Amino acid sequence: MSQSAGQILLKVDDVSKHFGGFTALSHVSVEVAQGERLGLIGPNGSGKTTLINCISGALKNDAGAIVFKGENLNGMPPHQRTRRGIARSFQIPRPFHSMTPVENLAVPLEYVTHRGAAHKADIRGEAESILSDMGLGDKMNAPCAGLSQVELRKLELARAMAARPALLISDEAMAGLSNAECDEVLAILFRLSDKGITIIMIEHIMHAIMRFSNRVICLDAGKLIAGGAPGEVVKNPDVQRAYLGA
Amino acid sequence: MNGNSLKFYLGCGVALLAALLLLGSVQNEYVFFASYVVLQFIVLAIAWNILGGYAGYVNFGTSAFFALGGYSALFMIKAFAAPLVVQIIVAAMFTGVLGLGIGLLSLRLRGIFFSIATVAMAIICETIITNTEFLGGAKGVQMTRPDPIAPFTSYTKMLFFVMAIMTIAAIIIARYIENSWIGRGLRAIRDNEEAAECMGVPTLRLKLIATVISGALMGAAGAPFPMYMSFIEPVSAFSLNYSVSALAMPIIGGTSSWLGPVIGAVLLGTVQQLVTVTISSELNVLIVGVLLVFFVVAAPQGILGLFKKRAEAPKPAAGGAAK
């Protein structure tokens, strides 16, 4: 598999995951380089979310290893992986609904970014500046219940960014959004990439994947079936078969 | 110290002063006997709320922590003839460790499964105590109160004052947790545990901190119980009434802040005392039930929620993110 320039940040090494008799991931190996924008595609149920759950630590991989910045993360709980620089957004937004957006961001700012020295940091100022960056400037202190879908997606990304990650995993941040809203979210992801953050994007919206990714990999039934430049992968007969059926 | 904290500690001082004034001016022993129960319920409600309100983990085992606090005190009396302060400290330590143990065993369970585990724990503890001859077994232990310490003219008055100090200590602890990083982490857990973990919150450790503090406070509240009653036996010490009240009071008052359990406990505790005296001691259980149902339906955020709604309506309140 071709690699763009830069060091390997994340290495998924021969990872497998079973749920009872069902194989969700089977010997998946991927390397992600520093600064890369990786698109992860595959039909529903192909194991995309399982793979990122294994990377973020929400699930334990049965075999293989997740290696981040040269460190094997197997057995490490999610909060420690976040402190090491892996942040994710959830497919269905999971805001801390009793808190305002500013308070939502204060959680990772206190627990990750300024851990142990939160009293010295300007948590509120920092949260406000991230939220303004994401275009949520006018909703910062409103209850989360009043946010629209696109605003919730932005809040998911903003909260992940507050942890100052080296690797951001965006799980279908654009599903269900209009074209204009997709462009907004995509622009945010491009800006984050320009700042040097490595991004893995899971998405069903192909034009977003095609525009955004340096490289695309495709999962089908828990196996990696293709990888390469976006244009090549969509033309790959295996990928077309996975999506359209034989 | 900011203005709010200053007001808060002034309020604590005034409350303590009021308790002292009451001690100096009122002669009727029953006033202190009844107030003690209300204060005890404030401590239990605050303790329950640290885990149940802040973190959203419902504990049905308050009675076990409370009773084991009392039995720890009894053990210290029988084995070492320890003074009241030592009884309370040992009781708090023992039930704090118990909280840690229960937490380690059961906090990997979520929601209702955790609650069921706490019920089981209470039953196990009661069975063990009932079968421990040294602690009186099923028939209980009768005790004679020692003389009260100097400024106090009766033991009931002394216990009232001790419980008043514990109440204020519990309020200070709860308020500290609420405003610190622990409180925000617990709130994140209550809102969405998986997201909290992914945002760097060490969820298991925070839940354990909450169970230890909550358990220790419940045990401390139970420690003076044998001396208060001059008697302790398992059925009344492990009474379901403690578990239900400790849960109902914060829900009625509002679980979002320390003030909720205080309001709920004062309201419900006082009503219970009045009903016990005027109508019957059985009826107060019914009253707890009816009030609980009423508030869950009519004011799910509790009394505190009703006031907050009114206060927040005119201005978009700025939650203190950078405390």
Side-chain angles (χ1 to χ4, degrees), chain A residues 79 82 94 98 110-111 124, chain B residues 181 184 191 194 197-198 319:
Chain A
H79 70 267
T82 308
R94 296 182 181 186
S98 75
E110 256 178 0
Y111 277 89
R124 189 174 188 89
Chain B
W181 59 279
R184 193 189 308 286
D191 283 355
E194 203 178 341
E197 179 75 30
C198 280

Side-chain angles (χ1 to χ4, degrees), chain A residues 53 56 58 77-80 82-83 86-88 90 94-100 102-103 106-108 110-112 119 121-124 141 159-160 163, chain B residues 179-206 312 316-323:
Chain A
N53 277 340
S56 69
H79 70 267
Q80 286 185 17
T82 308
R83 287 173 186 169
I86 301 177
R88 69 175 289 188
F90 288 95
R94 296 182 181 186
F96 301 132
H97 52 76
S98 75
M99 307 181 195
T100 64
V102 165
E103 290 172 315
V107 173
E110 256 178 0
Y111 277 89
V112 181
H119 54 283
D122 177 16
I123 301 270
R124 189 174 188 89
N141 295 310
R159 198 174 59 179
Chain B
N179 293 335
S180 73
W181 59 279
I182 303 173
R184 193 189 308 286
L186 292 175
R187 271 173 75 192
I189 290 172
R190 184 189 57 195
D191 283 355
N192 194 309
E193 189 158 345
E194 203 178 341
E197 179 75 30
C198 280
M199 286 299 115
V201 179
T203 52
L204 183 63
R205 190 174 357 137
L206 280 191
E312 269 175 9
K323 264 173 201 151

